[in-house]
Amino acid sequence: MAAFLRSKCSSVGRTLMGSIGNNLYVGVNSSIETVTGSSRCDAISQQIRTFIQMRTNLKVVDNSGAKRVMCIQSLRGKKGARLGDMIIGSVKEAQPRGKVKKGDVVYGVVVRAAMKKGRSDGSEVQFDDNAIVIVNNKGELIGTRVFGPVPHELRKKKHLKILALAEHIV
């Protein structure tokens, strides 16, 4: 752990971590707290989850033929897309005989996002990855199956067909 913090933190953090290199068990807690308390190391020690914005890579969770899509534009607004929002993306990886080919520009609906989304009952939903389902410009699904869990917030955004085809609704 000391090596990880030493390699990732600023030069100030490296000088603070120098005492840990020789004596691993004495004063480890105080040095690590000092380094992680630094404003320069906060972004490194904690991964920041943000909106799905331009150049975000997303996993495709339907059987349209695409495996990975890079977001070109969010159709929600300037900040980015969240659960249930439409995006425009470019297919970066695709299966050989799919309906969608590599390089195609496609529309998609965000069905999983790593950013926390609060619910009206006070709970929060957060997924491990960012994922989309590919649709056409009218909002109709290209694939015939949807893999993995999808949130019930899609009902509010009028994506009922995705909910009907989903394996599990969270």
Side-chain angles (χ1 to χ4, degrees):
M1 183 171 149
F4 170 75
L5 287 174
R6 185 180 299 143
S7 66
K8 296 293 182 184
C9 292
S10 66
S11 60
V12 174
R14 285 190 199 127
T15 58
L16 290 172
M17 294 299 292
S19 64
I20 295 176
N22 297 332
N23 199 356
L24 284 176
Y25 297 108
V26 178
V28 170
N29 291 336
S30 62
S31 296
I32 292 174
E33 288 173 9
T34 306
V35 170
T36 55
S38 167
S39 63
R40 291 183 183 177
C41 293
D42 281 341
I44 295 169
S45 64
Q46 221 177 36
Q47 185 177 5
I48 300 171
R49 307 285 184 166
T50 60
F51 289 97
I52 293 170
Q53 54 194 353
M54 197 181 315
R55 297 185 62 87
T56 301
N57 284 314
L58 301 115
K59 183 179 177 182
V60 179
V61 292
D62 63 5
N63 62 348
S64 61
K67 291 181 181 178
R68 189 172 56 92
V69 169
M70 184 179 73
C71 179
I72 295 174
Q73 181 182 7
S74 167
L75 299 178
R76 179 178 186 259
K78 288 187 178 182
K79 279 191 175 180
R82 295 182 87 170
L83 289 174
D85 292 334
M86 293 272 292
I87 66 164
I88 300 173
S90 172
V91 177
K92 293 298 178 185
E93 289 179 31
Q95 294 173 346
R97 289 171 290 282
K99 297 175 187 172
V100 179
K101 306 293 181 206
K102 181 179 176 181
D104 288 352
V105 176
V106 295
Y107 286 84
V109 175
V110 178
V111 294
R112 291 201 295 257
M115 184 178 176
K116 285 184 181 178
K117 170 101 166 100
R119 291 185 170 170
S120 58
D121 63 351
S123 63
E124 292 178 332
V125 62
Q126 178 182 15
F127 293 96
D128 293 334
D129 60 348
N130 296 317
I132 65 166
V133 172
I134 295 179
V135 296
N136 60 11
N137 55 1
K138 297 176 186 171
E140 300 165 351
L141 286 161
I142 292 179
T144 57
R145 296 176 66 194
V146 177
F147 305 110
V150 296
H152 71 82
E153 280 88 0
L154 296 178
R155 189 176 310 277
K156 294 177 187 173
K157 303 274 185 150
K158 307 286 192 272
H159 299 296
L160 300 176
K161 183 71 173 175
I162 296 172
L163 289 171
L165 295 175
E167 292 177 350
H168 184 68
I169 299 173
V170 180

